């Protein structure tokens, strides 16, 4: 794997798509086992920087971008207290910063949902990565509302019983079947997948790109 800075220093010709991804994303290829791709919608594409050009099996050349995964993410919908409590459980249970230091992506069955968040890209973790998902959770905000956690938040915040609130969050999360395994199943689900890595490789989604990447990511 070539580092981001090293690649930016090179004036390289297009690279064969299979060669490129087997060099840059072998951990994803191994874990996904050909089950599908990850998708993400980007409202602001300024965060995506040029990284490489790849040649698809058809001979077409397309751009690959790269974007850093934020390590200080704050939720747009969840109150900070709940956001941090969920992250604490994920860190304690799976050693992953699922809410504060991961990118949220979706698999094959939720590609259309991903497109609702902005310009649709295929996203692939560069190098080693961790992931977390649950077959019972499409969106953790809905779980926060529907599980009753939301109803406890105001009362316990007002009384300063944050340890009690964390216990309630922990008890709920323990029932939701979160796992850091079975990526092929996750890619065929509608569940949100939290991916912790340094960088995501991104390719603008088209039917030709999707078909080509499914062919070469084996």
């Amino acid at each position: 794997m070539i580092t981001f800075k090293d690649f930016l220093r090179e004036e390289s010709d297009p690279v064969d798509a299979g060669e490129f991804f087997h060099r840059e994303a072998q951990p994803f290829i191994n874990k996904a086992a050909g089950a599908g791709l990850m998708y993400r919608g980007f409202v602001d594409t300024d965060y995506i920087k040029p990284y490489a050009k790849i040649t698809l099996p058809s001979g077409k050349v397309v751009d690959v971008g790269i974007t850093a995964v934020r390590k200080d993410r704050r939720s747009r919908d969840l109150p900070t207290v709940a956001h941090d409590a969920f992250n604490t459980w994920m860190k304690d249970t799976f050693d992953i910063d699922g809410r504060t230091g991961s990118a949220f992506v979706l698999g094959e069955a939720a590609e259309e949902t991903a497109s609702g968040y902005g310009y649709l890209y295929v996203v692939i973790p560069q190098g080693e990565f961790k992931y977390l998902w649950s077959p019972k959770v499409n969106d953790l905000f809905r779980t926060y509302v529907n599980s009753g956690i939301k109803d406890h938040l105001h009362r316990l915040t007002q009384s300063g019983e944050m340890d009690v609130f964390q216990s309630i969050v922990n008890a709920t999360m323990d029932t939701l079947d979160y796992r850091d395994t079975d990526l092929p199943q996750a890619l065929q689900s509608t569940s949100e997948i939290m991916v912790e890595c340094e960088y995501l490789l991104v390719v603008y989604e088209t039917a030709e790109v999707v078909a080509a990447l499914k062919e070469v990511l084996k």
Side-chain angles (χ1 to χ4, degrees):
M1 183 180 73
I2 298 176
T3 68
F4 185 25
K5 290 181 180 178
D6 286 342
F7 216 115
L8 291 180
R9 284 197 292 265
E10 295 189 356
E11 292 293 334
S12 57
D13 293 327
V15 181
D16 173 78
E19 176 188 338
F20 174 81
F21 284 111
H22 279 270
R23 182 184 69 210
E24 299 283 317
Q26 192 64 50
F28 173 79
I29 294 171
N30 293 343
K31 293 176 182 179
L37 303 174
M38 293 177 174
Y39 300 88
R40 179 177 169 87
F42 289 87
V43 174
D44 186 354
T45 58
D46 289 342
Y47 294 104
I48 300 173
K49 305 303 180 185
Y51 187 58
K53 292 183 180 294
I54 58 172
T55 305
L56 303 180
S58 66
K60 183 176 182 178
V61 175
V62 298
D63 294 319
V64 178
I66 194 166
T67 183
V69 176
R70 289 183 59 182
K71 302 304 176 184
D72 60 350
R73 180 185 175 275
R74 309 311 299 176
S75 176
R76 181 178 59 185
D77 301 315
L78 280 172
T80 298
V81 172
H83 173 79
D84 290 343
F86 285 129
N87 196 74
T88 294
W89 181 87
M90 293 175 181
K91 186 68 174 177
D92 289 347
T93 308
F94 291 98
D95 192 28
I96 181 173
D97 285 314
R99 308 308 290 183
T100 64
S102 297
F104 289 12
V105 305
L106 293 166
E108 296 285 323
E111 179 183 353
E112 185 174 345
T113 301
S115 69
Y117 289 96
Y119 299 103
L120 186 62
Y121 284 78
V122 177
V123 299
I124 301 168
Q126 184 195 43
E128 296 295 337
F129 70 103
K130 298 178 182 179
Y131 64 96
L132 188 64
W133 73 289
S134 165
K136 296 181 179 180
V137 179
N138 292 339
D139 182 341
L140 192 57
F141 178 75
R142 295 177 188 170
T143 300
Y144 162 73
V145 173
N146 297 333
S147 67
I149 293 175
K150 179 181 178 181
D151 299 331
H152 293 287
L153 179 60
H154 179 73
R155 174 177 60 83
L156 294 173
T157 301
Q158 290 295 310
S159 64
E161 297 177 84
M162 298 318 300
D163 55 337
V164 177
F165 180 70
Q166 184 69 60
S167 296
I168 291 171
V169 168
N170 292 351
T172 299
M173 296 295 284
D174 286 342
T175 69
L176 294 179
D177 197 19
Y178 270 95
R179 57 186 73 174
D180 56 0
T181 57
D182 305 323
L183 185 58
Q185 183 181 346
L187 294 175
Q188 290 298 318
S189 75
T190 58
S191 298
E192 63 181 9
I193 309 168
M194 291 160 278
V195 176
E196 185 181 72
C197 59
E198 291 299 317
Y199 294 102
L200 290 175
L201 302 169
V202 302
V203 187
Y204 187 72
E205 189 269 355
T206 66
E208 183 177 2
V209 162
V210 168
L213 294 187
K214 287 183 178 180
E215 179 180 341
V216 303
L217 291 172
K218 296 179 180 177

